[in-house]
Amino acid sequence: MPEKESSCAGLKEPRLVVRKFLARPQPEGVGAVVRRSIGRFELRYFDPFLVLDEFSVTAPAGFPDHPHRGFETVTYMLQGAVKHEDFDGHKGTIGPGDIQWMTAGRGIVHSEMPAAQGTQKGLQLWINLSSKYKMIEPRYQEISSKDIAEAAKDGIKVRVIAGEALGAKSAIYTRTPTMYLDFTLEPGAHLQQPIPGSWNAFVYVLEGEGIFGRSKSSPVNAHHLLLLGPGDGLEAWNKSSKLLRFILVGGEPLSEPLVQFGPFVMNTQEEIDGTIDDFENYRNGFEKARHWRSESGLTLGF
Protein backbone atom coordinates (compact mmCIF):
# COMPACT_ATOMS: atom_id res chain seq x y z
CA MET A 1 0.00 0.00 0.00
CA PRO A 2 1.54 3.38 -0.96
CA GLU A 3 2.36 5.68 1.93
CA LYS A 4 0.63 9.02 2.23
CA GLU A 5 2.66 12.15 2.67
CA SER A 6 4.12 12.88 6.11
CA SER A 7 2.06 15.19 8.31
CA CYS A 8 4.82 17.75 8.93
CA ALA A 9 8.38 18.70 8.11
CA GLY A 10 10.97 15.98 8.55
CA LEU A 11 12.54 15.18 11.90
CA LYS A 12 16.30 15.42 12.28
CA GLU A 13 16.54 12.69 14.91
CA PRO A 14 13.44 10.49 15.16
CA ARG A 15 13.10 8.76 18.51
CA LEU A 16 13.55 5.00 18.51
CA VAL A 17 11.71 2.48 20.68
CA VAL A 18 14.04 1.49 23.53
CA ARG A 19 11.65 -0.69 25.58
CA LYS A 20 8.35 -2.42 24.92
CA PHE A 21 5.82 -3.82 27.41
CA LEU A 22 2.55 -5.67 26.99
CA ALA A 23 0.08 -4.38 29.59
CA ARG A 24 -1.68 -7.47 30.97
CA PRO A 25 -5.01 -7.37 32.83
CA GLN A 26 -4.90 -7.20 36.64
CA PRO A 27 -7.51 -6.51 39.34
CA GLU A 28 -7.76 -3.00 40.79
CA GLY A 29 -10.24 -1.05 42.90
CA VAL A 30 -13.32 -3.15 43.73
CA GLY A 31 -13.96 -5.64 40.95
CA ALA A 32 -12.40 -3.50 38.22
CA VAL A 33 -9.72 -4.63 35.77
CA VAL A 34 -6.80 -2.52 34.55
CA ARG A 35 -3.96 -3.02 32.12
CA ARG A 36 -1.13 -1.21 33.91
CA SER A 37 1.90 -0.30 31.83
CA ILE A 38 3.59 2.41 33.92
CA GLY A 39 3.62 1.83 37.68
CA ARG A 40 4.17 -1.95 37.40
CA PHE A 41 7.16 -3.78 38.82
CA GLU A 42 9.25 -3.51 35.63
CA LEU A 43 8.60 0.23 35.28
CA ARG A 44 7.82 1.87 38.60
CA TYR A 45 8.31 5.43 37.32
CA PHE A 46 8.98 7.12 33.98
CA ASP A 47 9.65 10.69 35.08
CA PRO A 48 7.25 12.53 35.38
CA PHE A 49 4.72 9.69 34.81
CA LEU A 50 3.70 7.52 37.76
CA VAL A 51 0.92 5.31 36.39
CA LEU A 52 -0.79 4.53 33.10
CA ASP A 53 -3.87 2.32 33.36
CA GLU A 54 -6.21 1.19 30.63
CA PHE A 55 -9.25 0.38 32.74
CA SER A 56 -12.39 -1.67 32.23
CA VAL A 57 -15.20 -1.56 34.76
CA THR A 58 -18.78 -2.82 34.90
CA ALA A 59 -21.21 -1.95 37.72
CA PRO A 60 -21.26 -2.62 40.61
CA ALA A 61 -17.44 -2.71 40.33
CA GLY A 62 -15.47 0.53 40.39
CA PHE A 63 -13.10 2.74 42.33
CA PRO A 64 -14.90 3.77 45.55
CA ASP A 65 -13.71 6.41 48.04
CA HIS A 66 -9.90 6.79 48.03
CA PRO A 67 -7.38 9.60 48.60
CA HIS A 68 -4.61 11.27 46.56
CA ARG A 69 -1.86 13.75 47.34
CA GLY A 70 1.11 15.18 45.45
CA PHE A 71 0.28 14.58 41.77
CA GLU A 72 -2.33 14.88 39.01
CA THR A 73 -4.68 12.28 37.53
CA VAL A 74 -5.86 12.49 33.92
CA THR A 75 -8.94 10.43 33.07
CA TYR A 76 -9.82 9.98 29.38
CA MET A 77 -12.94 7.97 28.60
CA LEU A 78 -12.88 5.71 25.56
CA GLN A 79 -16.25 3.99 26.04
CA GLY A 80 -19.14 4.56 28.42
CA ALA A 81 -19.05 6.95 31.35
CA VAL A 82 -17.77 7.29 34.91
CA LYS A 83 -19.39 9.23 37.73
CA HIS A 84 -16.93 11.29 39.78
CA GLU A 85 -17.56 12.68 43.26
CA ASP A 86 -15.21 14.21 45.85
CA PHE A 87 -15.31 15.33 49.47
CA ASP A 88 -15.53 19.01 48.51
CA GLY A 89 -18.84 18.56 46.72
CA HIS A 90 -17.41 18.44 43.21
CA LYS A 91 -19.28 15.85 41.18
CA GLY A 92 -20.09 15.06 37.60
CA THR A 93 -19.98 12.52 34.82
CA ILE A 94 -17.02 11.90 32.54
CA GLY A 95 -18.63 10.73 29.30
CA PRO A 96 -17.30 9.08 26.12
CA GLY A 97 -14.35 11.06 24.77
CA ASP A 98 -14.36 13.46 27.75
CA ILE A 99 -11.26 14.42 29.70
CA GLN A 100 -10.85 15.21 33.39
CA TRP A 101 -7.51 16.67 34.49
CA MET A 102 -7.49 16.58 38.28
CA THR A 103 -4.76 18.25 40.33
CA ALA A 104 -4.89 16.47 43.69
CA GLY A 105 -2.31 18.80 45.20
CA ARG A 106 -2.45 18.80 49.02
CA GLY A 107 -5.27 16.30 49.11
CA ILE A 108 -8.46 14.92 47.60
CA VAL A 109 -10.68 12.00 48.58
CA HIS A 110 -12.97 10.93 45.75
CA SER A 111 -14.74 8.06 44.03
CA GLU A 112 -14.94 6.99 40.38
CA MET A 113 -17.80 4.62 39.57
CA PRO A 114 -19.63 3.44 36.42
CA ALA A 115 -22.35 5.82 35.27
CA ALA A 116 -23.88 3.66 32.55
CA GLN A 117 -24.85 0.10 31.77
CA GLY A 118 -22.34 -2.28 30.29
CA THR A 119 -18.57 -1.95 30.38
CA GLN A 120 -16.89 1.44 30.80
CA LYS A 121 -13.40 1.78 29.35
CA GLY A 122 -10.81 4.52 29.54
CA LEU A 123 -7.28 5.59 30.36
CA GLN A 124 -5.96 7.07 33.57
CA LEU A 125 -2.55 8.71 33.67
CA TRP A 126 -0.85 9.90 36.86
CA ILE A 127 1.56 12.82 36.43
CA ASN A 128 3.94 13.78 39.21
CA LEU A 129 4.07 17.35 40.50
CA SER A 130 7.21 19.27 41.39
CA SER A 131 7.87 19.74 45.10
CA LYS A 132 6.75 23.38 44.82
CA TYR A 133 3.29 22.29 43.61
CA LYS A 134 2.63 19.20 45.73
CA MET A 135 0.73 21.10 48.41
CA ILE A 136 -1.29 23.48 46.25
CA GLU A 137 -5.07 23.57 46.46
CA PRO A 138 -6.86 20.91 44.40
CA ARG A 139 -8.38 21.92 41.09
CA TYR A 140 -10.11 20.42 38.06
CA GLN A 141 -9.88 21.02 34.34
CA GLU A 142 -12.72 19.25 32.54
CA ILE A 143 -13.31 19.26 28.80
CA SER A 144 -16.20 17.54 27.07
CA SER A 145 -15.50 15.48 23.97
CA LYS A 146 -17.02 18.06 21.62
CA ASP A 147 -14.67 20.75 22.93
CA ILE A 148 -11.40 18.82 22.62
CA ALA A 149 -9.17 20.37 19.96
CA GLU A 150 -8.91 18.20 16.84
CA ALA A 151 -7.11 18.34 13.51
CA ALA A 152 -6.77 16.10 10.48
CA LYS A 153 -4.29 15.95 7.61
CA ASP A 154 -2.91 13.35 5.19
CA GLY A 155 -4.83 10.42 6.65
CA ILE A 156 -4.02 11.41 10.24
CA LYS A 157 -6.51 12.59 12.85
CA VAL A 158 -5.44 13.88 16.25
CA ARG A 159 -7.33 14.77 19.42
CA VAL A 160 -5.16 17.15 21.45
CA ILE A 161 -5.65 16.42 25.15
CA ALA A 162 -2.59 18.49 26.13
CA GLY A 163 0.00 20.35 24.07
CA GLU A 164 -0.39 20.85 20.33
CA ALA A 165 -0.28 18.93 17.07
CA LEU A 166 -1.14 19.58 13.41
CA GLY A 167 -1.91 23.20 14.28
CA ALA A 168 -4.45 22.35 17.01
CA LYS A 169 -3.75 23.36 20.62
CA SER A 170 -5.29 22.18 23.88
CA ALA A 171 -6.75 24.55 26.46
CA ILE A 172 -5.42 22.39 29.33
CA TYR A 173 -2.84 24.05 31.58
CA THR A 174 -0.10 21.63 32.61
CA ARG A 175 1.93 22.47 35.71
CA THR A 176 4.31 19.69 34.75
CA PRO A 177 4.84 20.48 31.04
CA THR A 178 3.06 17.65 29.20
CA MET A 179 1.82 16.63 25.76
CA TYR A 180 -0.99 14.09 25.40
CA LEU A 181 -2.09 13.30 21.85
CA ASP A 182 -4.64 10.74 20.64
CA PHE A 183 -3.74 9.81 17.04
CA THR A 184 -5.71 7.78 14.50
CA LEU A 185 -3.85 6.84 11.31
CA GLU A 186 -5.61 5.55 8.23
CA PRO A 187 -3.98 2.72 6.25
CA GLY A 188 -0.88 4.06 4.49
CA ALA A 189 -0.55 7.14 6.73
CA HIS A 190 2.87 8.31 7.94
CA LEU A 191 3.26 10.58 10.98
CA GLN A 192 6.12 12.80 12.07
CA GLN A 193 5.31 14.52 15.38
CA PRO A 194 7.84 16.80 17.11
CA ILE A 195 8.59 16.20 20.81
CA PRO A 196 10.76 18.57 22.90
CA GLY A 197 14.24 17.06 23.05
CA SER A 198 14.58 17.13 26.85
CA TRP A 199 11.26 15.36 27.50
CA ASN A 200 10.55 11.71 28.21
CA ALA A 201 7.92 10.23 25.90
CA PHE A 202 5.98 7.03 25.27
CA VAL A 203 3.38 5.50 22.96
CA TYR A 204 0.47 3.31 24.04
CA VAL A 205 -1.36 1.44 21.28
CA LEU A 206 -5.15 1.34 21.59
CA GLU A 207 -6.28 -0.25 18.33
CA GLY A 208 -4.78 -1.82 15.23
CA GLU A 209 -1.06 -2.22 14.64
CA GLY A 210 1.64 0.28 13.79
CA ILE A 211 5.32 0.71 13.13
CA PHE A 212 7.20 3.15 15.33
CA GLY A 213 10.71 4.64 15.20
CA ARG A 214 12.06 2.82 12.13
CA SER A 215 10.08 2.00 9.00
CA LYS A 216 11.42 -1.56 9.00
CA SER A 217 10.57 -2.24 12.64
CA SER A 218 8.15 -5.03 13.53
CA PRO A 219 4.51 -3.95 13.88
CA VAL A 220 3.19 -3.37 17.40
CA ASN A 221 -0.43 -4.06 18.33
CA ALA A 222 -2.91 -3.03 21.02
CA HIS A 223 -2.13 -2.82 24.76
CA HIS A 224 1.63 -2.33 24.19
CA LEU A 225 3.59 0.51 25.80
CA LEU A 226 6.62 1.78 23.90
CA LEU A 227 9.24 3.89 25.67
CA LEU A 228 10.96 6.25 23.26
CA GLY A 229 14.65 7.11 23.34
CA PRO A 230 16.23 10.53 22.72
CA GLY A 231 15.45 12.60 19.66
CA ASP A 232 13.28 15.42 18.36
CA GLY A 233 10.08 13.56 17.57
CA LEU A 234 8.12 10.42 16.79
CA GLU A 235 7.85 8.79 13.39
CA ALA A 236 5.05 6.25 12.91
CA TRP A 237 3.52 4.33 10.02
CA ASN A 238 0.30 2.43 9.46
CA LYS A 239 1.21 -0.21 6.89
CA SER A 240 -1.81 -2.37 7.72
CA SER A 241 -5.26 -2.42 6.13
CA LYS A 242 -7.06 -1.24 9.30
CA LEU A 243 -7.09 1.92 11.40
CA LEU A 244 -4.26 2.46 13.88
CA ARG A 245 -5.01 4.35 17.10
CA PHE A 246 -2.50 5.23 19.79
CA ILE A 247 -1.67 7.89 22.33
CA LEU A 248 1.62 9.77 22.34
CA VAL A 249 2.47 11.24 25.74
CA GLY A 250 5.52 13.27 26.66
CA GLY A 251 6.57 15.27 29.68
CA GLU A 252 9.41 17.28 31.11
CA PRO A 253 11.27 15.21 33.74
CA LEU A 254 11.20 16.67 37.24
CA SER A 255 14.49 15.04 38.28
CA GLU A 256 13.48 15.16 41.94
CA PRO A 257 13.56 12.50 44.66
CA LEU A 258 10.43 10.34 44.68
CA VAL A 259 8.82 8.48 47.56
CA GLN A 260 5.46 6.86 46.89
CA PHE A 261 3.05 5.11 49.23
CA GLY A 262 0.08 4.02 47.14
CA PRO A 263 -1.96 7.15 46.32
CA PHE A 264 0.48 9.49 48.09
CA VAL A 265 3.51 10.79 46.15
CA MET A 266 6.03 13.06 47.86
CA ASN A 267 9.78 13.75 47.85
CA THR A 268 10.89 12.24 51.17
CA GLN A 269 9.86 9.47 53.55
CA GLU A 270 9.26 12.11 56.20
CA GLU A 271 6.71 13.81 53.93
CA ILE A 272 5.00 10.45 53.28
CA ASP A 273 4.82 9.77 57.02
CA GLY A 274 3.32 13.24 57.49
CA THR A 275 0.80 12.62 54.70
CA ILE A 276 -0.38 9.36 56.25
CA ASP A 277 -0.71 11.16 59.59
CA ASP A 278 -2.66 14.00 57.93
CA PHE A 279 -5.02 11.55 56.24
CA GLU A 280 -5.62 9.45 59.35
CA ASN A 281 -6.22 12.57 61.48
CA TYR A 282 -8.20 14.61 58.92
CA ARG A 283 -5.92 17.64 58.68
CA ASN A 284 -3.76 19.68 56.25
CA GLY A 285 -6.11 19.18 53.32
CA PHE A 286 -8.03 16.11 54.47
CA GLU A 287 -10.34 17.86 56.98
CA LYS A 288 -13.48 17.22 54.93
CA ALA A 289 -12.81 13.49 54.75
CA ARG A 290 -13.87 12.99 58.38
CA HIS A 291 -17.62 12.96 57.73
CA TRP A 292 -17.76 12.40 53.97
CA ARG A 293 -18.80 9.31 52.07
CA SER A 294 -19.63 9.29 48.38
CA GLU A 295 -23.08 8.21 47.25
CA SER A 296 -21.54 5.06 45.81
CA GLY A 297 -19.54 4.48 48.99
CA LEU A 298 -22.66 4.63 51.10
CA THR A 299 -24.44 2.24 48.73
CA LEU A 300 -21.57 -0.25 48.86
CA GLY A 301 -21.09 0.14 52.61
CA PHE A 302 -17.66 1.83 52.54
Side-chain angles (χ1 to χ4, degrees), residues 10 14 36 70 73 79 83 103 132 134 144 150 156 165 202 223 233 236 244 255 271 274 276-277:
R36 179 161 297 170
T73 68
Q79 172 185 309
K83 180 182 178 182
T103 303
K132 63 185 176 183
K134 285 190 177 296
S144 64
E150 295 186 357
I156 297 169
F202 66 85
H223 314 302
L244 163 66
S255 301
E271 290 171 343
I276 295 170
D277 193 51

Side-chain angles (χ1 to χ4, degrees), residues 180-195:
Y180 190 147
L181 308 174
D182 176 1
F183 282 108
T184 300
L185 273 60
E186 295 177 3
H190 172 206
L191 168 73
Q192 291 184 313
Q193 171 61 41
I195 303 168

